[in-house]
Amino acid sequence: ILSGAVIERIRSGAFWLLAILVGCGTWVIGAAWGWSDTGWMVKILGYHDAYASGVIHGLAGGSALAILIHLGPRLGRFRKDGAPRVFPAHNTWLIVIGMFLIYTGFWGFYAACNVPMYDIDPTEGTVYSATTIYLTPTTLSGITFNFLMALTGGLLVGYMVSGGDPFWTFQGGLGGIITASAGNDLYHPLQAFFLAGGGVWCGYKLHYWVERRFKIDDAVGAVAIHGYCGTIGVIASGFILWGYPSSANAGYAPITPWGQLAGAAIMFLVLGFLPCYIAAWGLKRAGLLRIPREVELAGLDHEILALESEQRQELADAETILQQESGE
């Protein structure tokens, strides 16, 4: 999520440090707080985020947005009047293939978020069921159906709102899944479908509003698809699932709109945006965040390609000499 947003202009060392901060720090804290049957956010706020709309995607989207503020846009991204230029994709077919791989992997993530077999009610004998990460009962068929409905809703709205643009159509499928993920263990399939479409519409509109208003250059729409859609999904689930148990543990707060709103703010702003904003600010002050202008103009892979070209030429020269010596 971070890597896609900041491509073509960030120093490798800065990216590694920020990736460690999120991957080994803030996201782990978020998971302990809100993605566990014993997390304090679940107990006190009734926070429910079964397939990590906020814990992973909202948090990482907020992190990416904070970094982009300090990193700045790619050279030439905005005209003198502030209007954004469209940088066309290098290979749309590879993007489409990559998105389908992500869909497949995301379904595997859904399945992996379930505890395979668990005794959900020891007081009534042995009652085994698959459960969510909160130890609430679910079924693989149910979450698969909702996953596909969310994917469908996101694809359709992504196609419609972008006027058939392939990039945003297939990004919309991913955004739909992410929007519905918070409550896809409990939603009716039609709820997953319409919520996914609504989340993608909002994420798409927010992406271009933020781009025009604040000159934020998100190269792959990562903040929109992950950050905005994930956060919208967490908040919306509070209304759709209002009153449902957040956990199998007795005494824990139920799911409520205010609990989900607070949880979304903690994930996107407190654990996502704020730490990376401070870290990126420090790296920028130290001159370690962005690559030099001349390197960006030449391309980050310029030196590697030049070295590979030199090595290929040396190999060709050596083969020519061997052919001459052998009389061929």
Side-chain angles (χ1 to χ4, degrees):
I1 297 170
L2 294 185
S3 62
V6 302
I7 56 173
E8 300 182 18
R9 60 210 190 274
I10 194 170
R11 289 180 181 268
S12 295
F15 173 72
W16 297 337
L17 290 172
L18 292 165
I20 290 171
L21 171 62
V22 177
C24 299
T26 54
W27 120 258
V28 178
I29 295 171
W33 288 359
W35 210 37
S36 164
D37 67 302
T38 59
W40 74 264
M41 288 176 62
V42 184
K43 182 177 182 178
I44 297 174
L45 300 177
Y47 184 73
H48 187 82
D49 193 5
Y51 304 106
S53 291
V55 169
I56 293 175
H57 300 281
L59 189 152
S63 301
L65 179 62
I67 297 167
L68 289 172
I69 290 172
H70 292 296
L71 189 60
R74 290 166 288 177
L75 295 177
R77 184 67 172 83
F78 294 96
R79 298 183 177 89
K80 290 183 179 180
D81 62 358
R85 291 186 177 92
V86 176
F87 288 0
H90 176 68
N91 192 316
T92 302
W93 284 107
L94 286 180
I95 292 175
V96 173
I97 293 170
M99 292 306 302
F100 272 88
L101 290 173
I102 291 175
Y103 300 157
T104 305
F106 213 129
W107 179 86
F109 169 79
Y110 260 56
C113 288
N114 291 330
V115 180
M117 295 296 289
Y118 187 78
D119 187 358
I120 60 172
D121 193 0
T123 60
E124 298 294 332
T126 303
V127 182
Y128 286 114
S129 173
T131 73
T132 68
I133 207 159
Y134 300 111
L135 303 182
T136 53
T138 190
T139 64
L140 186 59
S141 60
I143 63 169
T144 299
F145 193 9
N146 281 353
F147 173 92
L148 292 172
M149 292 295 285
L151 171 61
T152 304
L155 284 168
L156 288 172
V157 172
Y159 178 85
M160 290 186 291
V161 75
S162 68
D165 179 81
F167 176 81
W168 281 107
T169 297
F170 291 99
Q171 281 277 76
L174 179 59
I177 297 169
I178 291 169
T179 303
S181 286
N184 249 353
D185 59 320
L186 295 171
Y187 290 152
H188 185 280
L190 288 177
Q191 290 176 320
F193 176 84
F194 287 110
L195 176 59
V200 170
W201 187 89
C202 292
Y204 179 88
K205 296 295 184 180
L206 278 170
H207 170 81
Y208 283 107
W209 180 79
V210 170
E211 180 182 80
R212 291 190 300 269
R213 178 68 177 81
F214 301 103
K215 303 299 180 289
I216 300 295
D217 179 17
D218 181 357
V220 299
V223 176
I225 296 301
H226 299 273
Y228 303 155
C229 286
T231 301
I232 290 167
V234 170
I235 296 171
S237 68
F239 292 91
I240 298 172
L241 303 177
W242 196 342
Y244 273 79
S246 62
S247 165
N249 295 308
Y252 278 32
I255 301 170
T256 60
W258 48 90
Q260 293 298 94
L261 179 61
I266 290 170
M267 293 302 170
F268 188 89
L269 295 174
V270 178
L271 292 175
F273 186 89
L274 187 59
C276 280
Y277 186 89
I278 295 170
W281 175 82
L283 290 166
K284 182 180 180 180
R285 292 277 295 181
L288 300 174
L289 183 63
R290 184 159 178 155
I291 60 174
R293 177 184 176 86
E294 59 272 15
V295 175
E296 185 173 350
L297 287 170
L300 284 172
D301 56 358
H302 174 74
E303 294 298 327
I304 296 175
L305 292 175
L307 178 60
E308 290 177 349
S309 178
E310 181 181 344
Q311 291 172 340
R312 284 195 296 269
Q313 186 60 48
E314 289 178 357
L315 180 59
D317 292 342
E319 289 177 347
T320 301
I321 294 172
L322 287 173
Q323 290 174 357
Q324 291 173 347
E325 291 177 348
S326 62
E328 296 181 1

